Amino acid sequence: MATVLSRALKLPGKKSPDLGEYDPLTQADSDESEDDLVLNLKQKNGGVKNGKSPQGEGPDPDSDAEGIGPAKQHLSEVTTEGYPSPPLGNLEQKTASSFVSHIRTLIFLLTVLISMILVLVCAFLIPCPPRDLQNMWSRHLGPEGGGNLSPLELVDVNGDGLPDVLLSFVNLKNESMIGVPKPQATLLALSGVNGSTLWTSSLAEEAQSLQCSGLTLVDSAEAICLVTGISKLLSALNATSGKAIWTLNPSHLSSGTLAAPAVLLPDLDDDGVRDLMILTTGLLQGDLCFLLVSGKTGIPMGRPVKYNIVREGNLIGPQVHITTHGAIYILFGFGNIQAIALKDIFIQAENRDSSPPSLQIEEPEWEKRRSVNLSELIDVYSDGVEFLQMVKAPDSNCSNLLITTTQGLVLLRGQDLERHWVLNLQGLCSQPTLGYFTNDQTLDFLLEAQYGNGMKKVIVVDGNSGVIIWNNSLPCHMKESAATSVMTSDQKSVFLFWAEGLSASPSDSDLNSEPELPGLHHLYLLHPTFPTLLLDLANDTGTVNASAIGINDVWKDAFYVIRKTGPGSENHPRPLVVSKVNLRWALMESQVVLLKETTPKIGRGELRRFLSRIKFVSSQKV
């Protein structure tokens, strides 16, 4: 009986006493005997529930049906007729829940499938960032035809995001009728990736300058390049196709010839394109003319403006200088530096009494330097000038003037033309290379001073004080070895220059103890972080006459391009060659040249890890 009672207490809706629950109301109100409980249990098993017969009769009035209160509450599925409802509700709920689950799974799988399809479509349709897979290449352009100038420019010609190589040269082309080689000026575009020819174009004369920055049409995304010839050629061309957009009519130059590359000016005629100014010289000593040219059409803006100036020494400029207040001056000279306000040239060219508002600004400190007779010429510097460069001044929108003379280096403040510092140094053979060597974010300068015994001195000058902060003597018989620099992501610059072979250890002081091939020159890299060593990147027997640095902004890499002439003879003209090398690859393959011992010594592993993390970026140096 106890067993039966325990089973009866485990009816649906009742909790087992094992769970610790106890219902005192049920226990107190129920007067049923054990037999009644057994009977109820049997009736339940037989179909009768809560005192109701299968036929639906009412409950026995003497029965105590209400005594099983909890059971009545939990057995809510009983119908009004007393019949138990079939368990379809649970099945319907389970079926609906299963259906919703399947729907959710299907939606998830469809989302994953659509995402995969979109990824694959994007992978095929959207091009990956261009990567320069060829670490180095070299192109032979044929025999040199006697050109003395070496214009070289880097610009994205084919739109792949990487700078390409644009150069002009004079080569020897065989005439089919006569069979005698004839010099011909050529403009050539080479792919920066592999050196393949993108396009080639013939020029009417040898070019002295290529400019591919600053002169861009407002409604054009293509690069526009400006070609200045050695006589009367001035043309703007589309860098993508090499086709001329406009060419200046030579008749506008009368009897004069182009003395220097064209200068970019602000937009003077409000057509959305920067305008130009060219300087021409005639046969007579004082025949000097400035001519304003529209950058959009190539048509002169007014008449030529003549000045009578004695020509003694090398031509300097012309260059544009804009002061802090916005005054615009043209700097030029012959062995010296003079300035003319662009306003004065414009008024004479257009034969007007006034100029545009942008040209009416004057700089008081500059105007004080006009001659006593109120001449239009302003004296800036007059002592054996060789080169003039605009140097970006820190914390200012005005550039300083870096002047290279036969006696050294002078830095003038661009605002008032006062001397900031002077460095006495003779033998400078090229214009200084600008870059960041120190941590003060002021441009420093790398100089090369040539000596008569086949040696040159490489010097780094602090741009803020004019003090020499690094120098070294190197063997070099190459007279014109253009140095260059490129900026890294840590706001410093690495400097590249050419010299003859150096021993790997400073203990081997005799530089000629192991002679190399005659005329073999090495490309060295100087990093400010390791000033006691040089990295030997490459070597070549040619004579380098032009170089440039290109930047791959996506991969933070740089490549170094040189134009050189190989060795030749009287019967065989010198070959003209263009070469390229990727700098990050060259750094990892370089040889270390230790200039002096350091304590502690620089570990090879430490240096290699440092070089592997270098990233090159483009910078606006001037």
Side-chain angles (χ1 to χ4, degrees):
M1 183 63 67
T3 303
V4 173
L5 180 60
S6 64
R7 291 178 179 176
L9 293 176
K10 294 181 181 180
L11 289 172
K14 296 268 187 178
K15 289 191 178 179
S16 172
D18 297 340
L19 300 178
E21 291 192 9
Y22 176 73
D23 193 346
L25 295 177
T26 305
Q27 185 68 23
D29 295 341
S30 179
D31 294 329
E32 292 181 349
S33 63
E34 293 180 358
D35 295 336
D36 293 334
L37 293 174
V38 173
L39 180 59
N40 286 339
L41 182 61
K42 290 181 179 180
Q43 289 176 349
K44 179 181 179 182
N45 293 337
V48 178
K49 197 171 187 181
N50 291 338
K52 290 190 177 182
S53 65
Q55 287 78 15
E57 294 87 348
D60 190 353
D62 297 331
S63 66
D64 230 349
E66 295 179 359
I68 315 177
K72 178 185 284 189
Q73 295 175 4
H74 289 284
L75 299 177
S76 58
E77 66 273 8
V78 179
T79 63
T80 56
E81 293 83 3
Y83 292 97
S85 61
L88 295 178
N90 290 340
L91 291 177
E92 290 176 357
Q93 293 177 1
K94 290 181 180 180
T95 303
S97 176
S98 177
F99 180 74
V100 171
S101 177
H102 288 317
I103 292 297
R104 290 177 178 174
T105 303
L106 181 61
I107 293 175
F108 173 76
L109 293 177
L110 287 176
T111 303
V112 173
L113 180 61
I114 294 174
S115 300
M116 293 177 62
I117 294 175
L118 290 177
V119 170
L120 293 176
V121 170
C122 293
F124 282 100
L125 296 183
I126 300 177
C128 295
R131 188 165 190 172
D132 194 351
L133 299 178
Q134 282 193 249
N135 292 317
M136 60 184 305
W137 54 258
S138 183
R139 277 289 310 272
H140 289 257
L141 303 180
E144 185 185 28
N148 297 321
L149 302 175
S150 308
L152 176 66
E153 181 78 343
L154 299 182
V155 60
D156 185 9
V157 170
N158 53 8
D160 62 356
L162 296 175
D164 302 302
V165 183
L166 186 66
L167 70 156
S168 175
F169 58 95
V170 177
N171 61 347
L172 295 178
K173 183 177 181 180
N174 292 329
E175 294 291 336
S176 57
M177 297 180 61
I178 305 177
V180 178
K182 179 182 179 180
Q184 182 181 20
T186 302
L187 187 62
L188 179 66
L190 302 177
S191 169
V193 176
N194 53 27
S196 60
T197 300
L198 300 177
W199 54 260
T200 182
S201 177
S202 298
L203 298 177
E205 61 188 42
E206 181 183 358
Q208 62 171 313
S209 172
L210 298 173
Q211 301 166 270
C212 295
S213 60
L215 186 70
T216 304
L217 297 177
V218 176
D219 57 349
S220 175
E222 299 176 337
I224 307 299
C225 294
L226 194 66
V227 182
T228 306
I230 60 174
S231 179
K232 295 181 180 295
L233 174 64
L234 180 64
S235 179
L237 56 88
N238 189 318
T240 302
S241 61
K243 303 298 182 180
I245 299 175
W246 56 258
T247 300
L248 178 67
N249 191 334
S251 62
H252 295 301
L253 303 179
S254 63
S255 60
T257 59
L258 295 169
V263 178
L264 292 178
L265 301 175
D267 183 12
L268 302 179
D269 53 6
D270 296 326
D271 60 0
V273 181
R274 296 178 64 179
D275 297 311
L276 310 171
M277 187 189 68
I278 55 177
L279 176 64
T280 64
T281 55
L283 298 177
L284 300 179
Q285 173 66 20
D287 193 1
L288 188 72
C289 291
F290 290 98
L291 180 63
L292 301 178
V293 179
S294 171
K296 187 174 184 179
T297 62
I299 299 175
M301 301 168 58
R303 61 186 182 184
V305 179
K306 296 185 178 181
Y307 287 93
N308 190 0
I309 298 176
V310 178
R311 289 179 280 172
E312 294 181 357
N314 298 329
L315 173 62
I316 306 300
Q319 295 188 41
V320 178
H321 179 80
I322 303 177
T323 65
T324 302
H325 296 96
I328 305 175
Y329 293 90
I330 306 299
L331 304 180
F332 74 103
F334 293 89
N336 60 357
I337 301 177
Q338 295 178 304
I340 302 177
L342 181 58
K343 174 188 64 175
D344 297 334
I345 298 177
F346 181 86
I347 290 176
Q348 294 183 66
E350 296 286 349
N351 195 19
R352 298 181 183 178
D353 295 330
S354 62
S355 61
S358 60
L359 300 183
Q360 295 178 5
I361 304 174
E362 293 184 352
E363 188 63 44
E365 296 298 328
W366 284 60
E367 296 299 326
K368 291 178 182 179
R369 291 175 171 262
R370 287 189 184 271
S371 302
V372 179
N373 57 359
L374 298 180
S375 169
E376 294 178 357
L377 299 179
I378 300 174
D379 294 328
V380 177
Y381 196 89
S382 57
D383 189 10
V385 179
E386 297 286 341
F387 305 103
L388 170 64
Q389 293 168 272
M390 300 297 172
V391 179
K392 181 181 178 181
D395 302 327
S396 175
N397 60 350
C398 179
S399 297
N400 293 329
L401 278 62
L402 182 66
I403 303 173
T404 304
T405 70
T406 55
Q407 302 299 321
L409 207 62
V410 180
L411 184 66
L412 301 183
R413 288 195 295 262
Q415 189 60 35
D416 53 15
L417 298 180
E418 296 295 331
R419 295 188 181 186
H420 186 53
W421 50 257
V422 178
L423 174 65
N424 294 321
L425 182 66
Q426 295 184 352
L428 295 178
C429 56
S430 60
Q431 64 180 10
T433 300
L434 311 182
Y436 296 95
F437 195 87
T438 59
N439 296 322
D440 58 4
Q441 294 305 303
T442 301
L443 281 170
D444 306 306
F445 316 116
L446 182 137
L447 314 177
E448 292 182 296
Q450 193 77 36
Y451 299 98
N453 56 354
M455 298 289 293
K456 76 174 180 181
K457 197 169 187 178
V458 182
I459 301 168
V460 178
V461 178
D462 184 275
N464 189 38
S465 62
V467 176
I468 296 177
I469 54 179
W470 187 93
N471 71 92
N472 209 283
S473 295
L474 306 172
C476 183
H477 290 81
M478 190 185 302
K479 294 182 179 179
E480 296 180 2
S481 56
T484 187
S485 68
V486 58
M487 195 170 180
T488 61
S489 57
D490 59 354
Q491 301 299 310
K492 288 189 176 182
S493 300
V494 296
F495 297 85
L496 296 95
F497 54 87
W498 292 86
E500 294 178 11
L502 300 174
S503 59
S505 174
S507 59
D508 301 332
S509 58
D510 187 3
L511 298 177
N512 297 321
S513 58
E514 297 181 2
E516 292 183 330
L517 295 175
L520 183 63
H521 287 82
H522 297 251
L523 176 63
Y524 291 105
L525 182 142
L526 171 65
H527 197 291
T529 306
F530 299 98
T532 59
L533 58 85
L534 298 176
L535 297 175
D536 187 348
L537 303 184
N539 57 73
D540 204 288
T541 56
T543 301
V544 178
N545 44 42
S547 63
I549 290 284
I551 299 293
N552 186 338
D553 291 322
V554 176
W555 301 103
K556 304 302 181 185
D557 199 0
F559 60 88
Y560 179 66
V561 178
I562 61 171
R563 168 188 164 142
K564 60 185 179 180
T565 53
S569 61
E570 184 178 354
N571 297 328
H572 297 84
R574 296 180 300 173
L576 184 63
V577 182
V578 176
S579 300
K580 184 215 75 168
V581 59
N582 282 354
L583 287 188
R584 293 182 67 179
W585 173 82
L587 285 174
M588 302 309 297
E589 300 292 329
S590 64
Q591 300 295 323
V592 179
V593 176
L594 194 60
L595 300 177
K596 66 178 181 179
E597 297 287 352
T598 60
T599 304
K601 292 184 177 181
I602 302 173
R604 184 174 296 272
E606 173 191 0
L607 178 61
R608 187 173 183 84
R609 285 191 298 271
F610 177 83
L611 297 177
S612 65
R613 294 192 297 265
I614 289 181
K615 296 180 180 179
F616 298 102
V617 296
S618 59
S619 63
Q620 188 69 28
K621 297 179 181 179
V622 294

